[in-house]
Amino acid sequence: MSTHIAAAPGEIAPIVLFPGDPLRAKWIAENFLEGANLYSEVRGMLGFTGSWNGHRVSVQGSGMGQPSMSIYANELFDSYEVQTIVRVGSCGGLTEKVAMRDIIIANGACTDSGINRQRFHGLDYAPVADFSLLRAAVEASEALPLANTVHVGLLYSSDQFYSTRPELTEPLVAHGVLGVEMETSGLYTLAAYYGRRALAVCTVSDHLVTHEETTAQEREQTFGDMIEIALRAAVS
Ligand code: HPA
């Protein structure tokens, strides 16, 4: 048992899928894992362990934003010796290079968060994906018959869902950023600190240029492809 996760030692698998939404964690456990058992529901942040293609896999909700996600990632790495975390989430499209329901495999993430500035005494650290996971995710996406288009590129992990700084979009997009979400920069930084593997795979669920949004049913279908990519990469 760690401070925010009620699992006994060994109850969490070395491989964890990490959605923001705890009910998405339940949906993944029910639809993708065999024999999934709930190991924690502290604060409603559900976590399950089951198996996928013969590999033990856990799925743990992270909550939204780097402060919440960091609590769970720290405890997974530090108290449960998790080796691999793959974030499976949604993001907003920042450019017409990505369409609704496209999948972004994040090779790195920038942020407006103060967390890394505190951690590195003002220096701009570059949080990047684990290369073996990145490569495996790209290979998985090439091998699958996907309804979605897949991109490899940068995410912007913002501290604000309701942005007060729309002027940031243009320079970010001009420098290769494809989508906005709220967690990946912190996850990549913590994985580097603990010497473990992390990757974020996100589906474009709303679009800041075209102002489209997905329905719940569309999200379910397209999220399935993202989970399949994440699982194949995670067990690699
Ligand atoms: N902004 C921030 N985070 C998000 C978004 C967004 O538009 N969509 C999904 N996560």
Side-chain angles (χ1 to χ4, degrees):
M1 163 102 204
S2 60
T3 309
H4 301 89
I5 303 176
E11 269 193 306
I12 301 181
I15 294 168
V16 175
L17 257 54
F18 205 34
D21 179 354
L23 292 180
R24 182 73 60 191
K26 183 167 183 275
W27 178 82
I28 295 167
E30 286 170 353
N31 289 282
F32 289 85
L33 302 186
E34 280 171 35
N37 283 316
L38 179 75
Y39 61 70
S40 184
E41 51 185 338
V42 177
R43 290 178 180 250
M45 202 57 78
L46 308 177
F48 301 84
T49 298
S51 70
W52 183 81
N53 276 1
H55 301 269
R56 275 185 87 224
V57 173
S58 296
V59 51
Q60 169 69 52
S62 73
M64 290 177 281
Q66 294 189 58
S68 175
M69 181 284 304
S70 298
I71 288 172
Y72 297 97
N74 265 300
E75 293 182 22
L76 291 172
F77 287 138
D78 197 28
S79 303
Y80 296 98
E81 289 172 31
V82 166
Q83 301 299 312
T84 298
I85 295 182
V86 181
R87 162 165 158 70
V88 282
S90 60
C91 67
L94 282 178
T95 158
E96 282 173 339
K97 285 184 193 153
V98 298
M100 291 289 284
R101 295 176 287 282
D102 283 3
I103 292 172
I104 299 173
I105 301 171
N107 54 4
C110 34
T111 187
D112 61 355
S113 169
I115 296 176
N116 275 10
R117 255 172 269 136
Q118 290 169 34
R119 205 173 175 102
F120 297 100
H121 310 279
L123 182 108
D124 291 324
Y125 178 72
V128 295
D130 175 83
F131 181 67
S132 65
L133 282 175
L134 181 66
R135 180 167 53 190
V138 171
E139 285 170 2
S141 70
E142 287 168 351
L144 284 164
L146 299 177
N148 324 58
T149 303
V150 178
H151 310 261
V152 176
L154 293 171
L155 289 175
Y156 164 44
S157 303
S158 175
D159 266 356
Q160 300 190 90
F161 184 90
Y162 298 105
S163 173
T164 51
R165 303 177 69 192
E167 70 278 11
L168 275 177
T169 304
E170 194 208 318
L172 287 173
V173 168
H175 292 80
V177 178
L178 301 177
V180 55
E181 45 81 85
M182 303 183 71
E183 293 84 15
T184 298
S185 166
L187 175 62
Y188 285 2
T189 303
L190 288 173
Y193 175 69
Y194 286 101
R196 314 286 167 80
R197 308 196 306 164
L199 180 70
V201 185
C202 290
T203 303
V204 178
S205 65
D206 56 277
H207 209 292
L208 280 74
V209 180
T210 65
H211 302 293
E212 296 162 275
E213 289 179 7
T214 40
T215 64
Q217 196 187 6
E218 282 171 336
R219 281 200 293 274
E220 194 152 308
Q221 162 58 33
T222 53
F223 275 38
D225 288 338
M226 169 178 70
I227 306 302
E228 194 72 33
I229 292 172
L231 282 165
R232 289 187 183 206
V235 303
S236 67

